[in-house]
Amino acid sequence: MEGCGLMLRIGMLTSGGDCQALNAAMRGVVKGLASDNREVQIYGFKDGYKGLIYNNFSMLTSKDFSGILTVGGTILGTSRQPFKTMKEPDKNGLNKVEAMKRNYYKLNLDCLVILGGNGTHKTANLLKEEGLNIITLPKTIDNDLWGTDMTFGFQSAVDIATNTIDCIHTTATSHSRVFIIEVMGHKVGWVTLHAGIAGGADIILIPEIPYDLNVISEAIKKRTRAGKHFTIIAVAEGAISKEDAQLSKKEYKQKLAKRKYASIAYELAEQIQEKTDQEVRITIPGHTQRGGSPCAYDRVLSTRLGAAAAQLILNKEFGYMVGVKAGETIKVPLEEVAGKLKVVDPNARIIKEAKLTGISFGDK
Ligand code: F6P
């Protein structure tokens, strides 16, 4: 789709779970576009891809993006629209992909800026393949997007989870108990790993390093023998035992569907209590990890990524996610990002260094 002369028409949407700095990133894009002298019209689609499918948008101006650098959430709203359902018709038989294309062309857009995580990028790449001009920005507290060292939202979530562990630490010093803090991350353990180290957790359990319950209880007992009367465990939502890691994806899903516990923290609590005879308490910060104002790091990152995205748009370079590598902003072809997950490498130096400080990952 060729540009439309002097006026720039930019569609924008935020998709998937929200995170801090979505607004900051959109502000970065709009401010970056203003560096050009053309008039810019922003079509803000409501609630992610849903807005694009059903042509539900607001006309926005640069003023709408003023004063939102520090505001959490997303002024556009968001929703989860799983990639696998994109090619299925909606309940009225509407072809969603065709509808998105139709609305894009009807509005005569020069580019669609999409802010999202993994699933969002699969659909963004599909739209690119269908011929639309797409630029994306990497948002997610999970930090699991391929092709970028960092996603915005991650550092803010780490700060919040760390604060939770810090608060638990002070009460832990008064009681002889095991405290389990369940941190967000079903598929990856980046937030748990960083918050765990930052908060001084004794045991960190992440999906990438399956745990052995015996190793966990031995680590707790060792602390008790050393005169340390409490233990803090940071566990990712998706942490998995060595035993369960042997199951096929399907078998594990079926097992989880039958699990009697609300989440991994409750399952571990019961098992640890049985094995160590210690009292266990659970804390789940949940969606607070995605809430509130973005931390300074995320404000800087998202502003830079937004401005770099604007630059690509002005240069008519489409089909990229803007990311960051070794501190510099980069562009990554969407087809390289879509469908890949950036997981924690169990052999990474950060894991070895954490182990050197005495942190147990429950593996050996
Ligand atoms: O993808 C971000 C994330 O916050 C995950 O860490 C978490 O597991 C999930 O979203 C929660 O999703 P929802 O907000 O749909 O409950």
Side-chain angles (χ1 to χ4, degrees):
M1 172 81 190
E2 194 40 50
C4 312
L6 285 176
M7 165 99 69
L8 259 183
R9 293 185 174 85
I10 307 297
M12 218 178 252
L13 64 86
T14 53
S15 169
D18 76 337
C19 72
Q20 302 88 344
L22 275 164
N23 288 329
M26 291 192 277
R27 170 184 172 273
V29 176
V30 174
K31 282 196 180 285
L33 290 174
S35 68
D36 198 63
N37 283 330
R38 270 180 286 178
E39 190 189 330
V40 183
Q41 283 187 343
I42 308 289
Y43 295 73
F45 292 101
K46 304 269 188 205
D47 300 338
Y49 287 116
K50 226 193 237 176
L52 183 58
I53 296 170
Y54 300 106
N55 210 25
N56 185 10
F57 64 86
S58 296
M59 293 293 308
L60 303 168
T61 67
S62 57
K63 275 195 195 133
D64 296 298
F65 295 87
S66 238
I68 59 170
L69 172 65
T70 62
V71 181
T74 158
I75 58 167
L76 299 183
T78 186
S79 66
R80 290 196 187 276
Q81 301 291 317
F83 174 68
K84 59 175 189 277
T85 65
M86 279 298 177
K87 288 184 177 164
E88 296 165 5
D90 78 354
K91 58 180 189 310
N92 297 316
L94 180 79
N95 180 321
K96 295 173 196 159
V97 178
E98 287 308 316
M100 288 193 280
K101 283 166 63 181
R102 204 166 40 246
N103 293 329
Y104 176 97
Y105 289 122
K106 200 161 71 188
L107 296 171
N108 217 357
L109 297 180
D110 291 280
C111 175
L112 181 62
V113 179
I114 299 173
L115 296 85
N118 274 303
T120 300
H121 274 78
K122 289 191 213 164
T123 301
N125 186 48
L126 172 71
L127 294 177
K128 171 193 173 174
E129 285 169 351
E130 292 287 329
L132 308 195
N133 293 337
I134 307 288
I135 289 293
T136 69
L137 289 168
K139 77 83 233 200
T140 166
I141 66 161
D142 292 338
N143 195 32
D144 57 354
L145 261 173
W146 181 267
T148 183
D149 286 348
M150 203 61 83
T151 60
F152 54 83
F154 170 66
Q155 294 288 352
S156 302
V158 168
D159 281 358
I160 293 168
T162 301
N163 182 49
T164 304
I165 301 175
D166 287 349
C167 292
I168 292 298
H169 241 123
T170 64
T171 173
T173 54
S174 338
H175 291 275
S176 299
R177 286 171 176 167
V178 173
F179 288 87
I180 301 177
I181 297 104
E182 186 179 285
V183 178
M184 271 190 167
H186 270 116
K187 293 184 179 150
V188 300
W190 291 106
V191 183
T192 312
L193 173 64
H194 283 252
I197 294 174
D202 308 298
I203 300 173
I204 297 176
L205 305 175
I206 59 175
E208 295 89 336
I209 306 179
Y211 63 81
D212 177 337
L213 200 59
N214 294 319
V215 175
I216 296 175
S217 32
E218 190 39 47
I220 295 168
K221 286 176 189 163
K222 193 171 153 203
R223 278 181 61 77
T224 311
R225 288 196 295 272
K228 314 246 169 107
H229 61 276
F230 69 88
T231 298
I232 292 185
I233 304 177
V235 58
E237 286 170 313
I240 184 166
S241 69
K242 287 191 174 183
E243 205 183 20
D244 286 347
Q246 299 298 321
L247 302 174
S248 69
K249 247 184 165 177
K250 194 175 164 202
E251 286 168 336
Y252 185 52
K253 248 186 156 176
Q254 283 167 348
K255 186 170 175 187
L256 282 185
K258 285 190 216 134
R259 180 154 85 175
K260 70 168 177 172
Y261 309 95
S263 69
I264 180 79
Y266 291 90
E267 180 171 342
L268 275 176
E270 192 175 290
Q271 293 167 335
I272 289 171
Q273 200 145 340
E274 248 170 47
K275 277 210 173 270
T276 64
D277 211 21
Q278 291 208 25
E279 245 187 286
V280 184
R281 290 290 185 273
I282 294 165
T283 303
I284 304 181
H287 286 78
T288 65
Q289 292 163 97
R290 295 209 316 233
S293 188
C295 67
Y297 182 97
D298 276 338
R299 294 178 200 182
V300 176
L301 177 65
S302 54
T303 301
R304 289 185 65 196
L305 293 174
Q311 202 61 57
L312 288 180
I313 296 168
L314 294 174
N315 291 343
K316 296 188 176 171
E317 292 186 71
F318 302 114
Y320 295 102
M321 175 187 83
V322 186
V324 65
K325 269 268 174 300
E328 299 298 340
T329 54
I330 52 159
K331 56 180 193 198
V332 194
L334 279 176
E335 60 274 19
E336 282 180 26
V337 179
K340 287 191 219 147
L341 208 59
K342 185 183 73 189
V343 299
V344 176
D345 173 3
N347 296 312
R349 282 206 216 160
I350 186 169
I351 302 288
K352 290 186 180 136
E353 289 148 1
K355 284 185 174 176
L356 278 175
T357 68
I359 296 172
S360 167
F361 283 81
D363 55 335
K364 46 189 161 209

Short mmCIF file of all heavy atoms in Angstrom, two decimals, residues 306-353:
data_model
loop_
_atom_site.label_atom_id
_atom_site.label_comp_id
_atom_site.label_asym_id
_atom_site.label_seq_id
_atom_site.Cartn_x
_atom_site.Cartn_y
_atom_site.Cartn_z
N GLY A 306 9.55 3.56 20.36
CA GLY A 306 8.49 4.28 19.66
C GLY A 306 9.08 5.24 18.64
O GLY A 306 8.63 5.30 17.48
N ALA A 307 10.11 5.98 19.05
CA ALA A 307 10.74 6.94 18.14
C ALA A 307 11.40 6.21 16.97
O ALA A 307 11.31 6.66 15.82
CB ALA A 307 11.77 7.78 18.90
N ALA A 308 12.02 5.07 17.26
CA ALA A 308 12.67 4.29 16.19
C ALA A 308 11.61 3.74 15.22
O ALA A 308 11.84 3.67 14.00
CB ALA A 308 13.48 3.15 16.79
N ALA A 309 10.44 3.38 15.76
CA ALA A 309 9.35 2.90 14.89
C ALA A 309 8.90 4.02 13.97
O ALA A 309 8.66 3.81 12.77
CB ALA A 309 8.18 2.41 15.75
N ALA A 310 8.79 5.23 14.52
CA ALA A 310 8.37 6.39 13.71
C ALA A 310 9.36 6.61 12.57
O ALA A 310 8.97 6.88 11.43
CB ALA A 310 8.29 7.63 14.59
N GLN A 311 10.62 6.46 12.89
CA GLN A 311 11.66 6.62 11.86
C GLN A 311 11.46 5.65 10.71
O GLN A 311 11.54 6.01 9.54
CB GLN A 311 13.04 6.38 12.53
CG GLN A 311 14.20 7.00 11.78
CD GLN A 311 14.05 8.51 11.69
OE1 GLN A 311 13.95 9.17 12.71
NE2 GLN A 311 13.98 9.04 10.48
N LEU A 312 11.17 4.39 11.05
CA LEU A 312 10.94 3.38 10.01
C LEU A 312 9.73 3.76 9.16
O LEU A 312 9.75 3.64 7.93
CB LEU A 312 10.72 1.99 10.63
CG LEU A 312 11.94 1.30 11.25
CD1 LEU A 312 11.53 -0.06 11.81
CD2 LEU A 312 13.07 1.12 10.24
N ILE A 313 8.68 4.22 9.81
CA ILE A 313 7.46 4.60 9.08
C ILE A 313 7.78 5.73 8.10
O ILE A 313 7.40 5.69 6.93
CB ILE A 313 6.34 5.01 10.06
CG1 ILE A 313 5.92 3.81 10.92
CG2 ILE A 313 5.13 5.57 9.31
CD1 ILE A 313 5.04 4.16 12.11
N LEU A 314 8.51 6.74 8.61
CA LEU A 314 8.83 7.88 7.75
C LEU A 314 9.72 7.46 6.58
O LEU A 314 9.66 8.01 5.50
CB LEU A 314 9.48 9.00 8.58
CG LEU A 314 8.54 9.63 9.63
CD1 LEU A 314 9.29 10.61 10.52
CD2 LEU A 314 7.35 10.31 8.96
N ASN A 315 10.54 6.45 6.83
CA ASN A 315 11.42 5.92 5.75
C ASN A 315 10.70 4.90 4.86
O ASN A 315 11.32 4.30 3.99
CB ASN A 315 12.65 5.23 6.35
CG ASN A 315 13.58 6.22 7.01
OD1 ASN A 315 13.49 7.40 6.77
ND2 ASN A 315 14.48 5.70 7.87
N LYS A 316 9.42 4.63 5.17
CA LYS A 316 8.63 3.63 4.45
C LYS A 316 9.29 2.25 4.49
O LYS A 316 9.33 1.51 3.51
CB LYS A 316 8.40 4.05 3.00
CG LYS A 316 7.57 5.31 2.89
CD LYS A 316 7.21 5.59 1.46
CE LYS A 316 6.29 6.80 1.41
NZ LYS A 316 6.05 7.30 0.09
N GLU A 317 9.86 1.94 5.64
CA GLU A 317 10.43 0.58 5.84
C GLU A 317 9.43 -0.18 6.71
O GLU A 317 9.31 0.10 7.91
CB GLU A 317 11.77 0.66 6.57
CG GLU A 317 12.87 1.30 5.76
CD GLU A 317 14.19 1.19 6.51
OE1 GLU A 317 14.75 0.09 6.63
OE2 GLU A 317 14.64 2.25 7.01
N PHE A 318 8.74 -1.13 6.11
CA PHE A 318 7.68 -1.84 6.83
C PHE A 318 8.01 -3.32 6.98
O PHE A 318 8.89 -3.85 6.32
CB PHE A 318 6.35 -1.66 6.10
CG PHE A 318 5.97 -0.21 5.93
CD1 PHE A 318 5.91 0.37 4.67
CD2 PHE A 318 5.69 0.58 7.04
CE1 PHE A 318 5.57 1.70 4.51
CE2 PHE A 318 5.34 1.92 6.89
CZ PHE A 318 5.28 2.49 5.62
N GLY A 319 7.25 -3.96 7.88
CA GLY A 319 7.41 -5.40 8.06
C GLY A 319 8.40 -5.76 9.15
O GLY A 319 8.97 -6.85 9.15
N TYR A 320 8.61 -4.83 10.08
CA TYR A 320 9.61 -5.07 11.14
C TYR A 320 9.03 -4.90 12.54
O TYR A 320 8.10 -4.11 12.74
CB TYR A 320 10.77 -4.07 11.02
CG TYR A 320 11.57 -4.22 9.76
CD1 TYR A 320 11.37 -3.35 8.69
CD2 TYR A 320 12.52 -5.23 9.63
CE1 TYR A 320 12.10 -3.47 7.52
CE2 TYR A 320 13.25 -5.36 8.46
CZ TYR A 320 13.04 -4.49 7.42
OH TYR A 320 13.75 -4.63 6.26
N MET A 321 9.65 -5.62 13.49
CA MET A 321 9.48 -5.30 14.90
C MET A 321 10.69 -4.46 15.28
O MET A 321 11.81 -4.77 14.86
CB MET A 321 9.48 -6.58 15.76
CG MET A 321 9.41 -6.28 17.26
SD MET A 321 9.60 -7.76 18.28
CE MET A 321 11.40 -7.94 18.32
N VAL A 322 10.46 -3.41 16.07
CA VAL A 322 11.59 -2.63 16.57
C VAL A 322 11.98 -3.23 17.92
O VAL A 322 11.13 -3.39 18.80
CB VAL A 322 11.22 -1.14 16.74
CG1 VAL A 322 12.45 -0.34 17.12
CG2 VAL A 322 10.63 -0.59 15.45
N GLY A 323 13.24 -3.59 18.04
CA GLY A 323 13.70 -4.20 19.29
C GLY A 323 14.96 -3.51 19.77
O GLY A 323 15.33 -2.43 19.28
N VAL A 324 15.62 -4.13 20.72
CA VAL A 324 16.87 -3.57 21.23
C VAL A 324 17.89 -4.69 21.40
O VAL A 324 17.56 -5.79 21.87
CB VAL A 324 16.61 -2.78 22.55
CG1 VAL A 324 16.15 -3.69 23.67
CG2 VAL A 324 17.82 -2.00 22.99
N LYS A 325 19.10 -4.44 20.94
CA LYS A 325 20.20 -5.42 21.10
C LYS A 325 21.43 -4.65 21.58
O LYS A 325 21.80 -3.64 20.98
CB LYS A 325 20.54 -6.07 19.74
CG LYS A 325 19.77 -7.34 19.44
CD LYS A 325 20.52 -8.60 19.90
CE LYS A 325 19.76 -9.85 19.74
NZ LYS A 325 18.58 -10.24 20.27
N ALA A 326 22.03 -5.17 22.64
CA ALA A 326 23.22 -4.55 23.21
C ALA A 326 23.05 -3.03 23.36
O ALA A 326 23.96 -2.25 23.06
CB ALA A 326 24.44 -4.88 22.34
N GLY A 327 21.87 -2.63 23.77
CA GLY A 327 21.63 -1.21 24.06
C GLY A 327 21.23 -0.37 22.87
O GLY A 327 20.89 0.81 23.02
N GLU A 328 21.27 -0.93 21.66
CA GLU A 328 20.90 -0.15 20.48
C GLU A 328 19.57 -0.63 19.91
O GLU A 328 19.32 -1.84 19.87
CB GLU A 328 21.98 -0.28 19.39
CG GLU A 328 23.35 0.23 19.79
CD GLU A 328 23.38 1.72 20.12
OE1 GLU A 328 22.47 2.46 19.69
OE2 GLU A 328 24.30 2.14 20.83
N THR A 329 18.76 0.30 19.40
CA THR A 329 17.50 -0.12 18.77
C THR A 329 17.81 -0.76 17.42
O THR A 329 18.74 -0.36 16.73
CB THR A 329 16.53 1.08 18.58
OG1 THR A 329 17.22 2.09 17.86
CG2 THR A 329 16.04 1.61 19.90
N ILE A 330 17.03 -1.80 17.11
CA ILE A 330 17.24 -2.54 15.85
C ILE A 330 15.88 -2.83 15.22
O ILE A 330 14.85 -2.74 15.88
CB ILE A 330 17.97 -3.89 16.09
CG1 ILE A 330 17.25 -4.70 17.19
CG2 ILE A 330 19.43 -3.70 16.42
CD1 ILE A 330 17.55 -6.16 17.17
N LYS A 331 15.91 -3.22 13.95
CA LYS A 331 14.66 -3.68 13.31
C LYS A 331 14.84 -5.16 12.99
O LYS A 331 15.89 -5.59 12.51
CB LYS A 331 14.36 -2.86 12.06
CG LYS A 331 15.47 -2.85 11.04
CD LYS A 331 15.13 -2.03 9.81
CE LYS A 331 16.16 -2.36 8.73
NZ LYS A 331 16.30 -1.46 7.65
N VAL A 332 13.81 -5.94 13.30
CA VAL A 332 13.86 -7.39 13.08
C VAL A 332 12.71 -7.77 12.17
O VAL A 332 11.55 -7.42 12.47
CB VAL A 332 13.72 -8.16 14.42
CG1 VAL A 332 14.11 -9.62 14.25
CG2 VAL A 332 14.54 -7.52 15.53
N PRO A 333 12.97 -8.47 11.05
CA PRO A 333 11.87 -8.86 10.17
C PRO A 333 10.82 -9.66 10.94
O PRO A 333 11.16 -10.56 11.72
CB PRO A 333 12.55 -9.74 9.10
CG PRO A 333 13.99 -9.34 9.14
CD PRO A 333 14.29 -8.94 10.56
N LEU A 334 9.55 -9.33 10.70
CA LEU A 334 8.47 -9.97 11.47
C LEU A 334 8.46 -11.48 11.36
O LEU A 334 8.15 -12.19 12.32
CB LEU A 334 7.11 -9.42 11.01
CG LEU A 334 6.73 -8.07 11.60
CD1 LEU A 334 5.43 -7.59 11.01
CD2 LEU A 334 6.63 -8.17 13.12
N GLU A 335 8.83 -11.99 10.18
CA GLU A 335 8.79 -13.46 10.01
C GLU A 335 9.83 -14.14 10.90
O GLU A 335 9.69 -15.32 11.21
CB GLU A 335 8.96 -13.86 8.54
CG GLU A 335 10.24 -13.44 7.86
CD GLU A 335 10.18 -12.03 7.26
OE1 GLU A 335 9.29 -11.25 7.67
OE2 GLU A 335 11.02 -11.70 6.41
N GLU A 336 10.86 -13.40 11.33
CA GLU A 336 11.85 -14.00 12.24
C GLU A 336 11.33 -14.03 13.67
O GLU A 336 11.76 -14.84 14.48
CB GLU A 336 13.16 -13.19 12.20
CG GLU A 336 13.99 -13.48 10.97
CD GLU A 336 15.27 -12.67 10.94
OE1 GLU A 336 15.79 -12.28 12.01
OE2 GLU A 336 15.76 -12.45 9.81
N VAL A 337 10.44 -13.11 13.99
CA VAL A 337 9.94 -12.99 15.37
C VAL A 337 8.77 -13.95 15.61
O VAL A 337 8.68 -14.61 16.65
CB VAL A 337 9.46 -11.53 15.64
CG1 VAL A 337 8.93 -11.40 17.06
CG2 VAL A 337 10.57 -10.53 15.38
N ALA A 338 7.88 -14.01 14.60
CA ALA A 338 6.60 -14.72 14.77
C ALA A 338 6.79 -16.19 15.11
O ALA A 338 7.52 -16.91 14.43
CB ALA A 338 5.77 -14.58 13.50
N GLY A 339 6.14 -16.61 16.18
CA GLY A 339 6.10 -18.02 16.52
C GLY A 339 7.30 -18.52 17.31
O GLY A 339 7.40 -19.71 17.59
N LYS A 340 8.23 -17.62 17.65
CA LYS A 340 9.40 -18.07 18.43
C LYS A 340 9.35 -17.50 19.83
O LYS A 340 8.90 -16.37 20.03
CB LYS A 340 10.69 -17.62 17.75
CG LYS A 340 11.01 -18.39 16.50
CD LYS A 340 12.41 -18.07 16.04
CE LYS A 340 12.49 -17.97 14.54
NZ LYS A 340 13.46 -16.98 14.10
N LEU A 341 9.87 -18.28 20.76
CA LEU A 341 9.84 -17.86 22.16
C LEU A 341 11.28 -17.66 22.65
O LEU A 341 12.15 -18.49 22.36
CB LEU A 341 9.18 -18.99 22.96
CG LEU A 341 8.44 -18.66 24.23
CD1 LEU A 341 7.31 -17.69 23.96
CD2 LEU A 341 7.90 -19.94 24.85
N LYS A 342 11.52 -16.59 23.37
CA LYS A 342 12.86 -16.39 23.95
C LYS A 342 12.81 -16.89 25.40
O LYS A 342 12.21 -16.26 26.26
CB LYS A 342 13.23 -14.91 23.91
CG LYS A 342 14.65 -14.61 24.38
CD LYS A 342 14.91 -13.13 24.38
CE LYS A 342 14.19 -12.44 25.51
NZ LYS A 342 14.22 -10.98 25.45
N VAL A 343 13.41 -18.04 25.63
CA VAL A 343 13.33 -18.65 26.96
C VAL A 343 14.64 -18.41 27.72
O VAL A 343 15.64 -18.03 27.13
CB VAL A 343 13.05 -20.18 26.87
CG1 VAL A 343 11.73 -20.45 26.19
CG2 VAL A 343 14.18 -20.89 26.14
N VAL A 344 14.62 -18.68 29.01
CA VAL A 344 15.85 -18.60 29.82
C VAL A 344 16.69 -19.83 29.50
O VAL A 344 16.18 -20.95 29.54
CB VAL A 344 15.51 -18.59 31.33
CG1 VAL A 344 16.77 -18.60 32.18
CG2 VAL A 344 14.62 -17.39 31.68
N ASP A 345 17.95 -19.60 29.20
CA ASP A 345 18.85 -20.72 28.94
C ASP A 345 19.34 -21.27 30.29
O ASP A 345 19.99 -20.54 31.04
CB ASP A 345 20.03 -20.20 28.09
CG ASP A 345 21.11 -21.26 27.90
OD1 ASP A 345 20.94 -22.40 28.36
OD2 ASP A 345 22.14 -20.91 27.29
N PRO A 346 19.03 -22.53 30.60
CA PRO A 346 19.43 -23.09 31.91
C PRO A 346 20.95 -23.06 32.11
O PRO A 346 21.42 -23.10 33.24
CB PRO A 346 18.94 -24.54 31.85
CG PRO A 346 17.91 -24.56 30.78
CD PRO A 346 18.27 -23.49 29.79
N ASN A 347 21.70 -22.95 31.01
CA ASN A 347 23.17 -22.90 31.14
C ASN A 347 23.72 -21.48 31.06
O ASN A 347 24.93 -21.29 30.95
CB ASN A 347 23.82 -23.74 30.02
CG ASN A 347 23.45 -25.20 30.17
OD1 ASN A 347 23.54 -25.76 31.27
ND2 ASN A 347 22.98 -25.81 29.09
N ALA A 348 22.82 -20.49 31.08
CA ALA A 348 23.28 -19.09 30.98
C ALA A 348 24.10 -18.72 32.21
O ALA A 348 23.93 -19.29 33.29
CB ALA A 348 22.07 -18.18 30.84
N ARG A 349 24.95 -17.72 32.01
CA ARG A 349 25.81 -17.30 33.13
C ARG A 349 25.00 -16.79 34.32
O ARG A 349 25.39 -16.99 35.46
CB ARG A 349 26.74 -16.18 32.66
CG ARG A 349 27.89 -16.71 31.86
CD ARG A 349 29.06 -15.77 31.97
NE ARG A 349 29.74 -15.74 30.68
CZ ARG A 349 30.54 -14.78 30.28
NH1 ARG A 349 30.74 -13.73 31.05
NH2 ARG A 349 31.12 -14.84 29.12
N ILE A 350 23.88 -16.15 34.03
CA ILE A 350 23.07 -15.60 35.14
C ILE A 350 22.62 -16.74 36.07
O ILE A 350 22.57 -16.56 37.29
CB ILE A 350 21.87 -14.77 34.63
CG1 ILE A 350 21.14 -14.09 35.79
CG2 ILE A 350 20.90 -15.58 33.78
CD1 ILE A 350 20.10 -13.05 35.39
N ILE A 351 22.33 -17.91 35.51
CA ILE A 351 21.91 -19.04 36.34
C ILE A 351 23.11 -19.55 37.16
O ILE A 351 23.01 -19.78 38.37
CB ILE A 351 21.35 -20.20 35.46
CG1 ILE A 351 20.17 -19.72 34.61
CG2 ILE A 351 20.98 -21.43 36.30
CD1 ILE A 351 18.88 -19.45 35.35
N LYS A 352 24.25 -19.67 36.47
CA LYS A 352 25.45 -20.14 37.17
C LYS A 352 25.82 -19.18 38.30
O LYS A 352 26.17 -19.59 39.41
CB LYS A 352 26.62 -20.26 36.19
CG LYS A 352 26.41 -21.41 35.22
CD LYS A 352 27.59 -21.66 34.32
CE LYS A 352 27.24 -22.83 33.41
NZ LYS A 352 27.63 -22.61 32.01
N GLU A 353 25.74 -17.87 38.01
CA GLU A 353 26.11 -16.88 39.02
C GLU A 353 25.13 -16.91 40.20
O GLU A 353 25.54 -16.81 41.36
CB GLU A 353 26.17 -15.49 38.37
CG GLU A 353 27.38 -15.35 37.44
CD GLU A 353 27.17 -14.44 36.24
OE1 GLU A 353 26.08 -13.85 36.10
OE2 GLU A 353 28.11 -14.34 35.43
#
